[in-house]
Amino acid sequence: MLNRKLRGHKQEKLMSKFKMICILVFIAFAIMGCANTAANLQRESARNIGGNISANQVVISDVDRSITEVKWKASGPSGNYDCKADDMLRSVSCTKQ
């Protein structure tokens, strides 16, 4: 009986550690994903605005994400733009303000 309780306690501790590791991995991927997305928005904005603009000349602000699309504001040497794209940044569209 005591042996069974100890085994149950060890299993609970192990499961608790597993849950904590999963949460930490999820948080790490979320942070990396956000950082990478900002760079992607800069690159796609520069590409869509056109001209001879590099991604590091574009400043991104007011990012609004939904399940199916992303909207943001982009500022570059040629002006300010309202941009939007699908959730995978495949169909980017920027219009000058």
Side-chain angles (χ1 to χ4, degrees):
M1 178 82 166
L2 182 61
N3 193 16
R4 199 178 283 171
K5 285 184 180 180
L6 286 175
R7 209 174 339 171
H9 180 69
K10 286 181 181 179
Q11 286 177 344
E12 286 178 25
K13 271 182 97 171
L14 184 62
M15 194 59 138
S16 179
K17 286 181 182 180
F18 177 74
K19 287 178 185 177
M20 184 59 89
I21 290 171
C22 288
I23 290 169
L24 291 174
V25 168
F26 175 78
I27 290 171
F29 277 117
I31 290 171
M32 289 185 328
C34 291
N36 190 23
T37 301
N40 290 341
L41 291 177
Q42 282 182 302
R43 184 187 68 240
E44 294 302 322
S45 298
R47 186 179 294 163
N48 193 271
I49 291 169
N52 197 14
I53 300 173
S54 66
N56 62 359
Q57 292 177 295
V58 178
V59 177
I60 302 299
S61 63
D62 300 333
V63 178
D64 180 26
R65 298 181 189 285
S66 71
I67 294 173
T68 58
E69 70 177 1
V70 182
K71 295 179 183 179
W72 69 96
K73 296 190 182 298
S75 300
S78 60
N80 298 323
Y81 296 84
D82 289 321
C83 300
K84 65 180 180 178
D86 67 357
D87 60 337
M88 299 298 289
L89 290 179
R90 288 180 293 220
S91 56
V92 177
S93 170
C94 293
T95 55
K96 195 165 188 172
Q97 293 180 344

